[in-house]
Amino acid sequence: MPSEITALRASFFDFTGVVSRPEEIADRARYLEDGVLLLEAGRIVGLYAWDARPPLPDEVIDLRGRLIVPGFIDTHIHYPQTEMIGAYGEQLLEWLNHYTFPVESQYHCPDHAATMSEFFLQQLLANGTTSALVFGTVHPQSVDALFSAADAINMRMIAGKVMMDRHAPDALLETPEQSYADTRALIARWHGRGRLSYALTPRFAPTSSSALLEKVQQLRQEFPDVWLHTHLSENPQEVAWVKALFPERQGYLDVYHHHQLTGRRSLFAHCLHLDDREWQCLHETDSAIAFCPTSNLFLGSGLFNLKRSWEQGVKTGIGTDVGAGTTFNMLQTLGEAYKVGQLQQYRLSAAEAFYHATLGGACALDLHDHIGNFSAGKEADFVVIDPAVSPLQRLRLSHSKDIWEQLFMLMTLGDDRNIAQTWINGRAVWSRDAGCTQR
Ligand code: GUN
Ligand code: ZN
């Protein structure tokens, strides 16, 4: 057995394939109470039951008692809102003006952007998130700082600079021409470098003129393999404003669709107040949604209709949407997603919740060939979970009869204390007890 192989012994849970109906999820779940995962050169070699293990290297990392799951995938988050998480009292449009824009204005400074990028990545890792689709600010240097930090640990990340040319403070506005030029330069610098990818990031329709959207469209045509990341139909006042700003369009989504910004690799955050035509358009264009429960509850934006997303065949991942979202932690985010379901008589199972947070999220980002489960050849990004870290969790775990109850307990009672280690590209980059291990 070549010595470069790393072997980890623990319990493992993942999903072996992408599904199109929630009823199929449990059938695709794989749970090995005693398994061994082999890694080589940053990739998964294979996952085996311990009793059916192939020849192993002399040293096996013994993590028995821990549960290893694929790294969590956060399909919508803003790194330059970390320092204003949990800001009191406002709903979307006032919240942007009072809190968000002033904080994002600080990111013209490269040193500030670098410091906050490091902090942000530490938060992701400490919470078991190994990939994310990330908003920067309008400043190209915000994205340079984030990509540099992610590249240093070989993290799979998609990000982009915000594009906006109206309805924000002057310091955050640009012309469509400048936005095009800066975005083009960032794509040339970062897209496809290591595990990094670029997302065209018009903030949302109200801060975009038609001229700006034309530039986004032009970039998408020039670079058809980049991602498109924006907000859609989050708040009723926002939806009404878009209708007033774009009376010639058939609705909010049509503002984007008209500029050919829907499609595979297009990710729309929120989607709380869609009409039938918009749901159909998301489906027909193979666009994806980020469901952001803590944000939607915190800003009082509305309840996402997960059942409808399945019925319409629209791929959906989970986003924390920090800093409107109130946690970086995916376990807590899944717990809130469950409550959003309860308010609509939709029963979000632990299986479905963990699917969205791993392979389903990868699929929403069109990254399922690279990440999301323990299939051989995939990139070795995973989380070592401590199944119980407090007297209450230990008591509840001792009363759990199977893996489903354990996972549901984690999304109800779990948090960052349960994240024992985070591995990226085959290396432990975070350990709860040692903090950052590889930087
Ligand atoms: N819509 C436009 N910008 C934002 C933002 O920064 N956060 C959220 N939640 N919604 C937005
Ligand atoms: Zn957002």
Side-chain angles (χ1 to χ4, degrees), residues 76 78 231 270 321:
H76 178 67
H78 300 250
H231 297 93
H270 307 303
D321 194 26

Side-chain angles (χ1 to χ4, degrees), residues 76-80 104 120 132-147 157-164 174 179 182-184 186-187 190-191 196-203 226-230:
H76 178 67
I77 186 166
H78 300 250
Y79 103 81
E104 291 193 10
F120 173 78
L133 174 58
V134 188
F135 257 69
T137 65
V138 74
H139 316 95
Q141 52 272 38
S142 73
V143 174
D144 283 328
L146 182 68
F147 275 143
M157 174 169 287
I158 313 173
K161 89 164 208 75
V162 165
M163 305 172 81
M164 60 176 169
E174 51 186 356
S179 192
D182 286 349
T183 300
R184 209 174 195 289
L186 286 168
I187 293 171
W190 295 108
H191 184 61
L196 308 175
S197 303
Y198 198 85
L200 304 172
T201 311
R203 176 168 221 118
V226 301
W227 277 254
L228 183 289
H229 183 198
T230 191

Side-chain angles (χ1 to χ4, degrees), residues 91-255:
Q91 298 211 348
L92 176 65
L93 299 176
E94 294 76 26
W95 174 87
L96 284 170
N97 287 323
H98 287 192
Y99 295 114
T100 313
F101 292 148
V103 168
E104 291 193 10
S105 301
Q106 306 302 310
Y107 285 73
H108 70 91
C109 169
D111 288 345
H112 180 66
T115 304
M116 292 312 300
S117 292
E118 288 291 336
F119 188 90
F120 173 78
L121 289 190
Q122 288 303 307
Q123 289 301 305
L124 291 183
L125 299 179
N127 286 285
T129 296
T130 53
S131 282
L133 174 58
V134 188
F135 257 69
T137 65
V138 74
H139 316 95
Q141 52 272 38
S142 73
V143 174
D144 283 328
L146 182 68
F147 275 143
S148 300
D151 199 34
I153 53 167
N154 227 329
M155 187 169 187
R156 186 167 276 285
M157 174 169 287
I158 313 173
K161 89 164 208 75
V162 165
M163 305 172 81
M164 60 176 169
D165 70 338
R166 61 173 173 169
H167 299 137
D170 285 347
L172 289 176
L173 296 182
E174 51 186 356
T175 63
E177 291 71 26
Q178 191 64 49
S179 192
Y180 171 87
D182 286 349
T183 300
R184 209 174 195 289
L186 286 168
I187 293 171
R189 196 143 64 242
W190 295 108
H191 184 61
R193 173 161 159 180
R195 300 177 76 202
L196 308 175
S197 303
Y198 198 85
L200 304 172
T201 311
R203 176 168 221 118
F204 67 157
T207 50
S208 310
S209 69
S210 294
L212 183 89
L213 293 169
E214 272 166 33
K215 293 296 182 195
V216 185
Q217 178 174 3
Q218 190 181 340
L219 286 162
R220 200 163 214 205
Q221 278 159 1
E222 287 176 53
F223 303 98
D225 65 337
V226 301
W227 277 254
L228 183 289
H229 183 198
T230 191
H231 297 93
L232 172 63
S233 201
E234 176 176 5
N235 165 290
Q237 283 78 41
E238 171 212 20
V239 176
W241 193 21
V242 173
K243 285 186 179 149
L245 290 170
F246 296 92
E248 69 283 16
R249 302 274 79 89
Q250 289 189 317
Y252 195 158
L253 179 56
D254 191 43
V255 174

